[in-house]
Amino acid sequence: MLKVGLTGGIGAGKSEVSRLLVEHGAVLIDADRIAREVVAPGTPGLAAVVEAFGTDVLAVDGTLDRPKLGSIVFADADRLAVLNSIVHPLVGARSRELEEAASADSVVVHDVPLLAENGLAKLYDLVIVVDADADTQLDRLVRLRGMTEEDARARMAAQATREQRREIADVVIDNDVPLEALRRRVRDVWADLERRARATEEQQTSSE
């Protein structure tokens, strides 16, 4: 098994890269999706979030109002730390369960938005960083996700810098390019991941 950490700044296009990797055969463990699951209605995670932030962060149907919560925590580092202390252990536990269920010859891609911020690079055999210019990120967040420019800049500022992410990268995928160029780059990266996975499996087999 080859364990890959995939990260990138908000709006950098990491989700598109993860989708392309899945097309090639990667087993995807999406931390964002798991983060939503662990705070679904009726979970201990949601109860802990409400205890910390109050019932104002609930929507009328009892689900977590993520935009409301986001507007609170991404403007306040201390409150963001509180949220992370609740959610991250739950996400980590579920991620390990999914990884253990994958086959021994899999390329398992962990899509982790805050990989750099939380010092998680050592958990993976290699780290892929999806990189884009800050202006590109801002444009995508405002134009495609409907954020205000103020909210978008706050989200970006709450994350690691491009330089900090690139420092932990074994592979950088530039996403300031047309989709077809991105597809070619991901195809080449996948070929390398498959080679690494085979080498890892052979090494493990020979040591048994």
Side-chain angles (χ1 to χ4, degrees):
M1 179 184 294
L2 186 72
K3 295 186 286 187
V4 178
L6 175 68
T7 194
I10 186 171
K14 177 173 54 58
S15 296
E16 181 64 21
V17 171
S18 67
R19 185 184 68 78
L20 292 171
L21 288 170
V22 168
E23 285 185 0
H24 285 292
V27 174
L28 180 64
I29 298 177
D30 186 334
D32 263 354
R33 185 171 62 205
I34 296 171
R36 289 191 290 271
E37 292 176 359
V38 299
V39 292
T43 61
L46 182 60
V49 170
V50 171
E51 183 177 354
F53 294 93
T55 56
D56 286 348
V57 298
L58 291 177
V60 293
D61 62 357
T63 60
L64 184 63
D65 187 335
R66 295 174 68 84
K68 177 67 178 293
L69 181 59
S71 69
I72 295 170
V73 300
F74 287 110
D76 186 327
D78 290 337
R79 305 204 79 184
L80 179 59
V82 171
L83 178 63
N84 289 343
S85 72
I86 296 169
V87 175
H88 287 173
L90 298 172
V91 172
R94 179 58 178 153
S95 296
R96 286 188 294 274
E97 288 178 3
L98 294 172
E99 182 182 284
E100 290 168 1
S103 62
D105 61 348
S106 298
V107 175
V108 179
V109 175
H110 291 261
D111 184 333
V112 185
L114 300 180
L115 191 154
E117 291 83 346
N118 293 318
L120 303 177
K122 292 182 180 180
L123 297 179
Y124 308 104
D125 297 314
L126 80 162
V127 172
I128 298 174
V129 169
V130 183
D131 188 51
D133 181 84
D135 289 339
T136 300
Q137 292 177 255
L138 183 63
D139 173 69
R140 288 172 178 162
L141 295 175
V142 173
R143 180 170 52 86
L144 302 178
R145 298 200 193 179
M147 290 186 186
T148 66
E149 183 172 334
E150 181 181 8
D151 280 348
R153 290 188 183 278
R155 296 290 184 99
M156 291 167 63
Q159 294 188 335
T161 65
R162 291 178 73 188
E163 292 73 20
Q164 289 169 330
R165 280 189 292 270
R166 292 177 75 100
E167 282 178 5
I168 65 167
D170 297 293
V171 177
V172 175
I173 295 178
D174 176 17
N175 199 15
D176 277 315
V177 296
L179 180 58
E180 192 50 46
L182 180 65
R183 286 181 179 276
R184 289 194 297 271
R185 173 64 172 141
V186 172
R187 184 177 62 238
D188 292 343
V189 168
W190 176 254
D192 180 54
L193 295 179
E194 284 193 307
R195 285 193 295 270
R196 290 173 183 261
R198 285 194 296 271
T200 299
E201 186 179 11
E202 289 169 3
Q203 184 178 23
Q204 290 172 343
T205 300
S206 64
S207 65
E208 291 176 354

